[in-house]
Each structure stands twice: as C-alpha cells, then as structure tokens.
Amino acid sequence: MKTRFARWLCASLLGLLLVGVALAVPLAGAAAGKGPPTPLLWKVSARDGSSLYLLGSFHLLKPDDYPLAPEVDAAFAKSTRVIFELPAEQVESPALAAQMLQAATRTDGRSLRDDLSPAQWSALQAYASGHGMSVEALAGYEAWFVGLSVSLAEMAAQGLDPSLGLDQHFMRQAASAGKPTGGLETAAEQIALLDGMSLEEQRQMLAEALDDASEGNQQTRALHDAWRAGDAKRMWSEMALDMKRQYPALYRNINVARNDRWVPKLERYLQPGQGTTLVVVGTLHLLGEDGVVEKLRARGYQVERVGAP
C-alpha cells in the first residue's frame, strides 16, 4: 500500500492543512457513540520535577472524536502552558491563508497543465468537473497546492474538519483557561516545506490525491482509525516507514529535520522551575526511532506512555 502524501501530512503538518481548505466541499454528518479515542500521549520527566506531556494530534477530526480521554484532559489541567507546531496567533491570522496562496500561485508564466502528463491533466479535469471546480482556476496554482486541496476536499466530505482538529481544540481551551501558548516553528517555515518540493514529488502528490479520491479515501479512514485506537505501532509501520522508504528526502525534511530542531526547544521546558507543559504536535513526529519521544529518551529523560491500551 502506498502512503499518500496528504494522509501523511494530516498527521504531520498543521498550518497548511488549516488554511488549504478553500476548495473543500461542505462537511458531511458524522456518526456518534464511538467513545473517546485512546490517547497517543507520553509524559517526559526531568530529574527536578519539570515535565512535558507530548500529545499526538490528528489535524482534522469529527464531532464524535470528542470528548477526549480523561488522561488527555488531566494533562491539560496539570499544564501551565500549551505548545503547538505553530503559534496560535499565526494559525488564527487571516494573513496565513494569504501567505499560502501567495506561495502557491504560479509566477513563472506557465500553467499547471504544462507540468502534468496528458493523463494527469485529464484526471484533474474530470475531478474538477465532478466537484464544481474550475480547472482553469486550478491551473494557476502549483501542483502541491492543488493536490493538497483535492485531498482536503475529500476529507471534508467524510466529515473531517480542521476546526475540530486537536490543535484547534486546545488552542480554544488554552484561551478559555488563560494559559499561555507558544509554537515550535513559523507558518513561513511550514509553507516553505511544501513549496520546496521537487516537481516530481508535486506530481506524485496530485496524482495520489486524485487516485485516492477515486478509491473512496480508504487510506484516510485507515489512518484516522489507527489514531483513534491509539495504535502507535500501526501508524509508524504502515505510514511513516512507508514514507521513509518511498520518499527519503521528503521524509528527512518534513519529519527528521523538524524533530531535530524541536528537541532543543522542548528541552527548555524541562529546565528547573518550568513546571508542566502540554505539547500538541502531529502524531508522526512522536513515533519511531526518528520521533521526538525516542530522541528525548536518548537524552536521559524518563519517558512513559500515558493511557495506553
């Protein structure tokens, strides 16, 4: 099974997914009664008593993904601050969508059609025609943006909503409780990750988005189900390792390099007197040998999974 770019990004990037829904279709209704998701939650403790809760996010969720498990609510209650991938003020700023659109808009005098094979262009035409989109308008954007927009439209049709994502939920909770928040990187840095993709990677992203839409979005459901089940092993083995094998350069840029930049920033919150901090980031940043959890464990901190089945 191939890992779809946008599915992997759904558990990896935040800001781009929140503002890329301009082409999304209306949300579908969601079934209720599944019970709270099993949390992907770890506690990292320093010797002096300062600690981090690391919570794996899914950036688009459904109404029936709430309420959360009591362990997650307890971690929020114990924390004096909440840290996200992006600062809350950037996520909430109208300038974020403008930044993304500026990066995605073509300025080279070429059309998206020039970058695609005849078969890919025909597939995009068919998708646009069937979903009330203007293929001529899409032709003015980079392939990565169109691929991400198609994927987000399909996720929205399944009832997955960025406003219900775990990040947005805790941004609202922190604001209501008066808890300070912060970010590990900027919107400009996240946008540069996608805008810096090679043309081959962008074509692959768009082709897979169209292909997955035609197959009924099975991988999106599988990834969401694994997140709900708290199945860290499945998410790592079927999603992250697959991406690592197929797209090693992209995997290093989107996952490994960012994790390496985040770890020193997270260690600041483990210094004496920092108390307890809740960190909410894309789940795949926490998993496997390249994940933040293992990198902090390797630096000598005590790490334990909280609320595991």
Side-chain angles (χ1 to χ4, degrees):
M1 178 186 293
K2 278 194 172 183
T3 297
R4 307 298 187 184
F5 275 104
R7 310 301 170 253
W8 197 81
L9 293 172
C10 192
S12 179
L13 289 177
L14 167 60
L16 302 176
L17 295 174
L18 296 176
V19 301
V21 292
L23 304 177
V25 298
L27 297 177
K34 289 183 179 179
T38 299
L40 286 153
L41 179 66
W42 288 262
K43 184 178 182 182
V44 182
S45 302
R47 288 188 177 90
D48 81 318
S50 295
S51 61
L52 294 175
Y53 282 102
L54 301 174
L55 178 61
S57 175
F58 205 84
H59 297 314
L60 297 90
L61 289 176
K62 300 181 179 183
D64 63 346
D65 289 322
Y66 294 92
L68 300 172
E71 295 90 345
V72 176
D73 290 332
F76 174 77
K78 293 174 185 176
S79 298
T80 58
R81 67 183 69 83
V82 188
I83 304 300
F84 304 96
E85 291 179 32
L86 295 184
E89 59 270 20
Q90 289 192 17
V91 173
E92 296 163 358
S93 171
L96 183 56
Q99 276 182 274
M100 187 176 182
L101 285 171
Q102 182 178 12
T105 301
R106 303 186 69 97
T107 58
D108 56 4
R110 291 166 54 85
S111 165
L112 175 60
R113 184 172 187 171
D114 299 325
D115 290 343
L116 305 181
S117 69
Q120 288 174 328
W121 181 252
S122 294
L124 180 60
Q125 283 182 307
Y127 181 86
S129 176
H131 291 79
M133 298 179 179
S134 165
V135 74
E136 289 78 15
L138 295 177
Y141 294 109
E142 301 286 352
W144 63 262
F145 178 79
V146 178
L148 186 58
S149 296
V150 168
S151 292
L152 288 166
E154 293 301 309
M155 293 179 203
Q158 295 180 50
L160 287 164
D161 183 350
S163 71
L164 295 177
L166 215 57
D167 321 83
Q168 290 276 295
H169 171 78
F170 280 110
M171 286 177 186
R172 291 189 292 268
Q173 292 288 97
S176 178
K179 295 190 178 188
T181 62
L184 295 171
E185 57 193 13
T186 67
E189 289 172 325
Q190 285 202 353
I191 291 170
L193 287 171
L194 286 186
D195 200 35
M197 290 170 60
S198 69
L199 181 55
E200 179 182 356
E201 289 169 339
Q202 292 188 51
R203 288 193 192 107
Q204 186 72 32
M205 182 178 183
L206 177 53
E208 289 178 354
L210 293 170
D211 187 38
D212 202 31
S214 69
E215 294 174 358
N217 305 289
Q218 296 178 15
Q219 285 211 359
T220 302
R221 293 189 180 92
L223 182 58
H224 179 249
D225 288 347
W227 178 84
R228 276 196 59 91
D231 195 340
K233 182 177 180 180
R234 181 181 176 192
M235 294 188 78
W236 170 249
S237 62
E238 294 187 10
M239 304 294 172
L241 280 181
D242 198 26
M243 173 64 75
K244 186 175 183 178
R245 285 190 295 265
Q246 292 182 56
Y247 313 105
L250 189 66
Y251 175 84
R252 286 194 301 271
N253 289 337
I254 287 182
N255 196 51
V256 181
R258 293 168 74 208
N259 293 347
D260 288 341
R261 290 194 294 268
W262 291 357
V263 166
K265 297 179 181 180
L266 293 174
E267 283 194 291
R268 297 173 192 166
Y269 300 111
L270 290 167
Q271 297 302 307
Q274 288 296 313
T276 301
T277 303
L278 175 62
V279 180
V280 185
V281 296
T283 297
L284 294 182
H285 287 289
L286 304 181
L287 306 182
E289 60 195 23
D290 299 319
V292 170
V293 169
E294 290 306 316
K295 288 180 183 292
L296 288 172
R297 195 194 306 273
R299 295 193 179 208
Y301 299 102
Q302 178 184 342
V303 181
E304 59 182 318
R305 176 90 186 263
V306 179

